[in-house]
Amino acid sequence: MFRLTAMDHIVLNVRDMGGVLDFYQNVLGLPAERLAEFRRGEVPFPSVRVNEDTVIDLFPVAETDHEMPERSDLNHFCLVLSADDMAPMMAHLGAHGVKIEEGPVTRWGAHGNGTSIYFRDPESRFIEVRCYEHRTEPQRP
């Protein structure tokens, strides 16, 4: 038997790379990786780093790309921050004109109940940001 232990990356299809990069770098504070290489045409997409183990790949698609799947299979994804950072995050989103569509609300997640807010990126993907009052690491076998 095996056990999956972490999320390595997710891939988002992106129509407006500049707007999406600006949002993930400057609003969410995620550093870009391979951006210079992408701009030089050396790699097919850039990424933004969530932590040492996880990246979000930003895959460019043309407006006329008929192979781009519908987003009906992605409800949202969730990023975690410390409880002390929730209020500053909410203020930061507001300062960037990002509307919090839901929250703060209590929701269950990987570490039990936490406090979550929900908002959208420039291409209308629903994003949850959550904090845990007392975060515990999942048990490893």
Side-chain angles (χ1 to χ4, degrees):
M1 194 60 176
F2 62 89
R3 180 168 183 219
L4 300 173
T5 59
M7 175 73 77
D8 184 83
H9 70 278
I10 62 171
V11 180
L12 303 179
N13 288 324
V14 174
R15 293 190 191 280
D16 174 12
M17 187 62 72
V20 169
L21 273 167
D22 180 64
F23 181 82
Y24 283 88
Q25 288 183 278
N26 298 318
V27 177
L28 296 186
L30 302 176
E33 295 196 357
R34 303 178 352 139
L35 185 55
E37 296 91 334
F38 170 72
R39 289 182 172 153
R40 289 191 304 263
E42 297 170 2
V43 297
F45 58 86
S47 303
V48 291
R49 183 158 292 280
V50 177
N51 60 33
E52 65 186 30
D53 297 317
T54 311
V55 295
I56 300 172
D57 295 333
L58 305 174
F59 192 81
V61 295
E63 196 66 39
T64 58
D65 189 344
H66 298 292
E67 295 181 26
M68 185 172 141
E70 293 294 320
R71 288 199 188 122
S72 60
D73 60 339
L74 175 66
N75 181 281
H76 72 279
F77 62 91
C78 180
L79 302 168
V80 177
L81 49 62
S82 73
D84 292 339
D85 286 336
M86 182 60 86
M89 173 73 174
M90 292 171 62
H92 183 76
L93 290 171
H96 281 82
V98 177
K99 179 184 176 213
I100 296 173
E101 294 186 22
E102 187 176 349
V105 294
T106 300
R107 295 285 161 79
W108 185 87
H111 296 275
N113 284 326
T115 301
S116 297
I117 58 172
Y118 296 83
F119 53 91
R120 294 187 187 274
D121 78 2
E123 294 190 355
S124 295
R125 279 176 283 269
F126 213 38
I127 300 170
E128 176 183 1
V129 169
R130 133 179 328 205
C131 65
Y132 291 98
E133 196 64 35
H134 302 289
R135 182 173 172 165
T136 60
E137 293 302 315
Q139 295 299 311
R140 304 276 185 223

